[in-house]
Amino acid sequence: MHRRLAWDDLLYVLSVGRTGSLSGAARTLRVNHSTVFRRIAAIEEQLGVRLFDRRRDGYAPTAAGEEVIALAGRLDDDVIALERRLAGEDLRPSGTVRFTTTDTMISTVIPICADFRRAYPEICVELVTGNEFLNLTRRDADVALRPSAKPPETLHGRRLATIAFAVYGAPSYLAATGGPDLDRTHQFCGLDDSLSHLGAYRWIADNVPRERIGFRASSFVALVDAARVGLGLAVLPCYLGEESGLQRVGAPLAEVSTDLWLLVHEDLRRTARVRVFLDFVSEAIGRSRAMIEAR
């Protein structure tokens, strides 16, 4: 008897189609590279048609592959939407809340998570940190605490604060270079091009000659450590600079400030565990608002 394609088969095809490679699909599906290779080969043999052309730069879908990927994508969207709707019917504050934020907010959110667990012991908090914006529509996370000038319109958001930024340096570095004066020819630590969309990156580009930038990094946390060891000054969120023992140089930079948002998909915001988590985080961040806004 001819075996029908299973949902798992479609997921393998969809993942290769979306990532363009076996390794990318393996990371998405959390399986081995060889498993993806075997499954795609088996699916193609079952269907009697080639779904992907193997090229040096990755896997490109054939016409048949594009049809399967389009169908799998529609089904995937439907399954995710169903999961969100069913999750939204939960009335008891229990289960898991997957929470994402930037690495700079870790020291702020960990105490909040600890207090939340004491208040709601039946809810497990999974924290995902990083600078990439996880897809709440696809439920990579349930709740996001993110700096953003304009969050996606598909998400429900609460603006919690305005994040102030300023220039910071190590006290020892400033003492050795004549003090906290931006008019001097200081060395700077900058962000790399992966964060070129941020105001801190643009401020450095507009105000600091390239020859005075001797270090770049892909995170503010790395800039803190670079400033601490005297590599130069860095533009940092004020809450991060202050808690790191660095010294502020000048007033906060109004043109670099950005809003801090608490975001959730519309289908999940009335779920009991998500709703209580949103309220708890909002109230806790409110108590830290003066520090975040450098007031």
Side-chain angles (χ1 to χ4, degrees):
M1 181 181 293
H2 180 70
R3 184 178 74 86
R4 292 184 177 181
L5 278 177
W7 173 232
D8 278 356
D9 294 330
L10 293 176
L11 279 180
Y12 275 84
V13 177
L14 179 62
S15 296
V16 174
R18 282 176 170 168
T19 64
S21 69
L22 298 183
S23 57
R27 286 192 298 271
T28 300
L29 298 169
R30 298 181 182 180
V31 298
N32 293 326
H33 176 281
S34 58
T35 300
V36 181
F37 178 81
R38 288 195 303 270
R39 289 293 292 269
I40 292 297
I43 295 166
E44 290 181 327
E45 183 178 357
Q46 176 187 341
L47 293 175
V49 64
R50 193 174 71 255
L51 299 178
F52 296 97
D53 289 325
R54 284 72 166 171
R55 299 176 180 174
R56 294 182 62 183
D57 59 347
Y59 274 48
T62 63
E66 288 178 349
E67 281 194 57
V68 177
I69 291 167
L71 171 62
R74 291 194 297 271
L75 292 175
D76 190 41
D77 289 341
D78 288 344
V79 169
I80 291 170
L82 176 62
E83 288 178 346
R84 287 199 311 264
R85 287 196 297 272
L86 293 177
E89 293 174 2
D90 175 31
L91 299 177
R92 190 180 71 258
S94 63
T96 298
V97 173
R98 191 165 168 84
F99 179 40
T100 181
T101 191
T102 61
D103 51 6
T104 64
M105 296 293 296
I106 292 176
S107 61
T108 299
V109 303
I110 289 294
I112 296 175
C113 292
D115 290 341
F116 179 80
R117 281 282 300 148
R118 284 188 282 269
Y120 297 94
E122 293 187 13
I123 300 178
C124 172
V125 179
E126 291 184 357
L127 179 62
V128 184
T129 60
N131 291 320
E132 67 276 9
F133 205 118
L134 296 188
N135 194 329
L136 269 64
T137 299
R138 305 198 62 80
R139 294 202 67 189
D140 293 336
D142 298 322
V143 178
L145 181 65
R146 288 279 165 182
S148 178
K150 186 179 181 182
E153 294 181 358
T154 56
L155 302 180
H156 177 79
R158 304 182 187 183
R159 192 180 70 83
L160 303 184
T162 298
I163 302 175
F165 284 74
V167 177
Y168 285 85
S172 57
Y173 168 85
L174 293 170
T177 54
D181 185 347
L182 280 179
D183 292 334
R184 301 179 187 278
T185 55
H186 287 292
Q187 292 295 303
F188 273 81
C189 305
L191 297 167
D192 70 12
D193 290 345
S194 67
L195 298 177
S196 61
H197 58 287
L198 298 183
Y201 179 101
R202 294 193 297 271
W203 189 91
I204 292 285
D206 293 341
N207 294 277
V208 180
R210 292 184 65 87
E211 62 271 16
R212 287 167 54 192
I213 305 172
F215 178 85
R216 293 184 185 273
S218 61
S219 79
F220 286 110
V221 173
L223 291 190
V224 168
D225 288 336
R228 276 176 174 161
V229 299
L231 279 173
L233 303 182
V235 177
L236 300 169
C238 290
Y239 66 84
L240 184 62
E242 302 293 339
E243 71 182 17
S244 302
L246 298 173
Q247 184 175 346
R248 188 193 301 177
V249 182
L253 307 170
E255 65 270 37
V256 182
S257 66
T258 189
D259 291 331
L260 180 64
W261 289 84
L262 189 62
L263 302 167
V264 64
H265 194 277
E266 180 69 25
D267 290 346
L268 286 180
R269 71 187 183 97
R270 292 184 179 86
T271 304
R273 65 183 183 279
V274 173
R275 186 179 66 250
V276 296
F277 186 76
L278 290 170
D279 292 342
F280 197 96
V281 173
S282 295
E283 184 177 344
I285 292 295
R287 293 193 294 270
S288 301
R289 185 169 179 174
M291 175 191 68
I292 294 170
E293 298 184 341
R295 291 188 280 108

